[in-house]
Amino acid sequence: MSSYHSAARLDEARRVAIFGGTHGNEMSGVMLVNLWVQNNTEVQRKGVEVQPFITNPKAVEKCTRYVDTDLNRAFTPENLSTLGGGDLPYEVRRAQEINRMFGPKGSPEAYDVIFDLHNTTSNMGCTLLLESSKDHFNLQMMNYIQKSIFPASCLVLLNEHPLLKYSTSRSVAKHPVGLEVGPQPQGVLRSNIFESMRDILKHALDFIELFNAGMEFPPCTVEVFRLSERIDYPRDDNGNIIAMVHPNLQDCDWEPLNPGDPMFQTFDGKTIHYQGSGTVYPTFINEAAYYEKQQAFATTRRESLVASAIRKA
Amino acid sequence: MKLHESQGGTHPQGQIGFSRVAICGGTHGNELSGVYLVREMQKAERKAKERGNDMEVITVLSNPRAVQRGLRYIDTDLNRCFTHAMLSGSNTNDAPYEIIRSRELNALLGPKGSRDAVDLVCDLHNTTANMGLCLISYSDSDWLCLHVFRHLQRQMPDVPTRFIHFNATNKESYSLDSVGKHGFALEAGPQPHGVMRSNIYTTMKMGVEHVLDWVCLFNSGFVFEGGSVDVYTVVRNIDYPRDRDTHNITAAVHPQLQDRDFCLLYPEDPLFLTLSGETLRYKGKEPLYPFFINECAYYEKGIAVSLARKRRVAIPAIRVQTEQEQQAKKDECTSEEEEE
């Protein structure tokens, strides 16, 4: 009760979307959204409009990540405002359409929350993707999810890096939330991965319902992993990969990587060591889709963020 | 091929030596172990030739366009394009890329069924299924392949290694490995497509090295004793339950079956878990061995899991034909022709 006057008053989250198939071969989101488009009983909550939506239907149909260009990088201001109609890449046209339906990005009319469902070939478990360290609503939601699924765990990856940040489909909303669950090969549906994602969304929607009903959430501390650096594979002069993620690093997402630890293994068995200045927490280790983006893994640093108390305005 | 002795080795069968062996990678462009292994072998071509004057190792990147784009295939699955019907016929302007390519590969490594074909085709693949290392063949009586398999098992005791037999008596062989006089696929998993796991690459690399070592040993006159090996013969496939209208899958492989390749599946064991939480069970009467459990590329082929029977197969002792035997055989053929 002592926090009553210091709680941040936020607008209720009335309009919520659940995006699946932003990458057409990440099957958990495709299956969940298709299920909920047919029958939305499971995602209905009092005081909330929840819209499940397939963002990249052509890619889903072909079971491929994208058709012309990565939809989850396409929501740049330039793309959203450019003219060109039918000449534009499919995903750019799609981004504009999604921005019209769920945005416009940055405006008061934009959706309150968008959950964007993804899978990764990396052993990241359940990860929540946060785009701003100042989004107290999202921080409180993530804290709620973590407490609800305990002892199962769900880590928070914060990408606020000025150079590494990118324009996601969920960024159209006021509160963008990414869900990344792995490991799962592209094009494959694993039952345990599917059920984990489903469970997280259940708790996320519960949080929104509680918030909209007037519940106050007291201040809390959320541990996040802040994205620091992108590390590419060693390559030769022609750009061909000449080493693989080292067996000691493979599948060790979120475990500390210390200077001197094995990082890559060349094709003839030599070890290449991590040369950073301090301990980092690697993630997205050996993600299939990142070979073409020149990323073998990303490094993060641990940080504690304090979320202020929040309450519906 | 007549069997003289099933065990022992007192009369090892004489087999013709292997002068040309093909190692093929990237038959599916997103199965990366083979892609990178072939590339590395091509870089180290010198070393391959040092193995011996008797044997030529040909390394092939089977589907370069699919490799470049990181896809399984461009127009159609290359590894289904090697039937005699598909290999003959002329290339039209709108022929699928893989048909044109299969004919090129047939010219390079075949022609299939002729005496000019390479002696052995070893085609490298990956699977998303938890299958360890598998040697996949159309025959359960090609003694050379079975001996190679036993050699792999013995040389790599830490890697689960199995022999899968696709019984193709009613259907013609359609895969790349059928182009050679002998052939098999080497399948390593689990690995997501488009990903290279170092442990899987190492397994594949060691596997290929042991295959080539065996061939050299064989060519040098070594007598391989007889024995027996376990062979998994494919019996049938089970598809996912699907929506009648959209044909989309309506269930996932059950968590109790997922990753349990080669663990015996009994009647009434869980097979699938529907999106609404219902368990669908195996209704067959016979316990069978499942494999290719949840292989990504098989969704479109209508296969959630393949089922096999396991049996022990006796293999005879073998060794390479001596020059005397080769000459005797030639004389035999010549005299037969004269009689006609």
Side-chain angles (χ1 to χ4, degrees):
Chain A
M1 288 308 288
S2 61
S3 64
Y4 185 83
H5 294 290
S6 59
R9 301 299 192 111
L10 302 174
D11 290 336
E12 65 178 1
R14 186 149 288 281
R15 291 153 83 224
V16 172
I18 303 176
F19 285 177
T22 295
H23 295 134
N25 53 10
E26 294 176 14
M27 303 304 291
S28 305
V30 172
M31 295 298 285
L32 280 171
V33 166
N34 278 340
L35 177 68
W36 292 329
V37 162
Q38 269 189 357
N39 181 350
N40 69 353
T41 314
E42 197 179 330
V43 294
Q44 279 182 338
R45 295 292 190 280
K46 195 168 166 210
V48 196
E49 279 168 43
V50 178
Q51 187 172 358
F53 185 77
I54 295 283
T55 44
N56 197 338
K58 265 204 202 170
V60 168
E61 201 197 300
K62 292 181 165 191
C63 197
T64 186
R65 181 177 175 85
Y66 56 81
V67 174
D68 294 328
T69 186
D70 193 334
L71 180 62
N72 214 29
R73 305 287 184 278
F75 286 77
T76 60
E78 303 75 46
N79 277 351
L80 294 180
S81 57
T82 193
L83 303 169
D87 291 336
L88 293 173
Y90 171 72
E91 278 85 5
V92 173
R93 280 181 277 135
R94 199 66 194 142
Q96 291 181 348
E97 206 175 321
I98 290 166
N99 192 40
R100 274 191 292 276
M101 292 174 72
F102 298 96
K105 180 167 167 175
S107 77
E109 292 80 45
Y111 263 58
D112 298 292
V113 184
I114 295 179
F115 297 103
D116 193 19
L117 309 184
H118 289 269
N119 292 119
T120 173
T121 57
S122 306
N123 189 25
M124 286 166 71
C126 296
T127 303
L128 296 166
L129 307 176
L130 182 65
E131 298 194 358
S132 162
S133 57
K134 299 181 176 53
D135 190 333
H136 294 269
F137 179 85
N138 273 356
L139 282 167
Q140 287 281 1
M141 183 201 295
M142 292 179 182
N143 178 62
Y144 179 88
I145 292 169
Q146 288 179 325
K147 300 276 186 300
S148 302
I149 68 170
F150 183 86
S153 84
C154 186
L155 301 180
V156 178
L157 173 62
L158 168 66
N159 187 359
E160 219 175 22
H161 193 291
L163 298 173
L164 300 180
K165 208 174 154 75
Y166 49 85
S167 305
T168 57
S169 50
R170 58 186 177 269
S171 66
V172 166
K174 293 172 186 149
H175 303 289
V177 179
L179 258 76
E180 188 87 54
V181 185
Q184 181 172 269
Q186 295 170 344
V188 163
L189 181 72
R190 288 180 70 100
S191 181
N192 60 330
I193 300 288
F194 173 86
E195 295 296 340
S196 294
M197 191 178 275
R198 195 178 196 172
D199 196 42
I200 290 182
L201 269 165
K202 169 189 156 0
H203 295 296
L205 292 173
D206 287 346
F207 169 85
I208 294 174
E209 185 178 26
L210 290 169
F211 177 81
N212 287 355
M215 180 179 277
E216 177 171 318
F217 294 86
C220 65
T221 304
V222 183
E223 187 181 69
V224 305
F225 291 82
R226 183 187 283 273
L227 195 72
S228 177
E229 206 184 345
R230 198 185 278 169
I231 310 276
D232 191 13
Y233 292 94
R235 293 174 189 267
D236 64 17
D237 295 330
N238 296 324
N240 295 318
I241 288 173
I242 56 174
M244 312 168 276
V245 169
H246 195 278
N248 286 20
L249 178 59
Q250 179 68 54
D251 300 333
C252 293
D253 300 69
W254 309 118
E255 291 175 35
L257 180 70
N258 303 305
D261 283 351
M263 189 170 55
F264 295 110
Q265 183 181 73
T266 64
F267 292 113
D268 48 11
K270 292 197 193 65
T271 298
I272 297 172
H273 304 269
Y274 176 59
Q275 306 283 15
S277 53
T279 298
V280 290
Y281 295 84
T283 189
F284 277 119
I285 299 174
N286 210 348
E287 159 55 48
Y290 290 174
Y291 280 53
E292 72 173 16
K293 297 198 200 297
Q294 279 88 51
Q295 181 177 320
F297 64 97
T299 63
T300 68
R301 288 174 201 275
R302 277 164 81 159
E303 206 173 300
S304 281
L305 296 180
V306 174
S308 56
I310 63 169
R311 189 187 162 94
K312 177 179 84 167
Chain B
M1 240 181 260
K2 269 173 93 177
L3 178 58
H4 298 292
E5 287 283 342
S6 58
Q7 310 251 0
T10 47
H11 295 290
Q13 286 197 29
Q15 306 276 347
I16 299 171
F18 290 80
S19 56
R20 292 164 73 221
V21 175
I23 307 290
C24 304
T27 299
H28 296 132
N30 53 7
E31 295 176 16
L32 295 191
S33 304
V35 171
Y36 280 88
L37 185 55
V38 160
R39 278 198 188 144
E40 289 301 302
M41 287 176 74
Q42 287 175 342
K43 278 188 208 169
E45 210 83 277
R46 266 186 303 113
K47 282 191 188 154
K49 290 200 172 106
E50 279 165 26
R51 284 187 179 276
N53 306 328
D54 295 341
M55 179 173 72
E56 185 193 346
V57 178
I58 304 163
T59 51
V60 183
L61 201 63
S62 317
N63 195 338
R65 264 209 223 165
V67 167
Q68 204 219 7
R69 291 187 53 191
L71 300 170
R72 181 177 175 83
Y73 56 80
I74 303 294
D75 296 322
T76 189
D77 191 335
L78 177 61
N79 214 27
R80 303 289 183 275
C81 291
F82 292 90
T83 60
H84 282 291
M86 287 167 121
L87 290 174
S88 56
S90 47
N91 290 334
T92 58
N93 277 344
D94 53 359
Y97 168 71
E98 278 83 9
I99 294 281
I100 297 173
R101 189 64 189 140
S102 69
R103 291 167 184 172
E104 282 172 10
L105 289 165
N106 191 42
L108 177 69
L109 304 175
K112 174 172 170 173
S114 78
R115 63 175 63 182
D116 294 326
V118 298
D119 298 295
L120 176 64
V121 170
C122 177
D123 188 22
L124 308 181
H125 288 267
N126 290 119
T127 173
T128 57
N130 186 25
M131 286 167 65
L133 186 64
C134 288
L135 199 150
I136 304 180
S137 168
Y138 285 104
S139 168
D140 62 353
S141 57
D142 182 333
W143 313 129
L144 290 159
C145 290
L146 287 164
H147 269 277
V148 168
F149 166 68
R150 189 180 67 176
H151 182 73
L152 280 181
Q153 268 194 324
R154 286 175 169 176
Q155 297 302 314
M156 300 170 71
D158 296 333
V159 177
T161 307
R162 297 177 183 94
F163 190 99
I164 298 177
H165 165 227
F166 273 87
N167 194 353
T169 42
N170 296 331
K171 215 167 59 166
E172 198 199 331
S173 57
Y174 48 69
S175 56
L176 172 56
D177 53 278
S178 68
V179 171
K181 296 196 181 88
H182 303 271
F184 55 82
L186 256 190
E187 186 94 47
Q191 181 172 270
H193 298 315
V195 161
M196 199 158 43
R197 290 180 68 96
S198 46
N199 61 328
I200 300 289
Y201 176 84
T202 301
T203 295
M204 189 73 100
K205 180 177 175 187
M206 284 191 338
V208 168
E209 276 174 12
H210 290 307
V211 169
L212 295 175
D213 284 346
W214 186 92
V215 172
C216 281
L217 213 47
F218 177 77
N219 284 347
S220 71
F222 190 83
V223 176
F224 293 93
E225 64 190 22
S228 61
V229 291
D230 282 333
V231 166
Y232 292 86
T233 296
V234 183
V235 171
R236 52 183 274 235
N237 300 318
I238 299 184
D239 191 9
Y240 291 93
R242 291 176 185 271
D243 180 276
R244 217 167 292 173
D245 303 314
T246 62
H247 203 61
N248 289 334
I249 68 173
T250 55
V253 166
H254 198 280
Q256 283 175 38
L257 176 61
Q258 180 68 57
D259 299 334
R260 293 175 60 80
D261 299 71
F262 300 108
C263 297
L264 203 50
L265 181 74
Y266 291 94
E268 295 304 314
D269 276 353
L271 267 182
F272 300 109
L273 185 63
T274 69
L275 305 185
S276 50
E278 191 195 341
T279 294
L280 303 176
R281 297 178 182 278
Y282 171 51
K283 293 300 179 190
K285 301 226 166 38
E286 182 190 350
L288 292 171
Y289 290 89
F291 64 98
F292 278 129
I293 299 174
N294 209 348
E295 159 54 49
C296 169
Y298 287 178
Y299 282 52
E300 72 173 14
K301 297 196 201 298
I303 300 172
V305 53
S306 293
L307 295 173
R309 255 177 225 126
K310 181 170 80 163
R311 71 188 213 283
R312 201 98 186 129
V313 170
I315 56 177
I318 59 169
R319 59 155 173 76
V320 73
Q321 271 181 0
T322 61
E323 283 183 27
Q324 270 180 320
E325 285 168 334
Q326 285 186 45
Q327 191 56 51
K329 205 153 185 173
K330 277 189 194 148
D331 294 342
E332 201 181 293
C333 289
T334 320
S335 67
E336 273 175 15
E337 283 168 21
E338 281 172 359
E339 276 171 32
E340 283 162 22

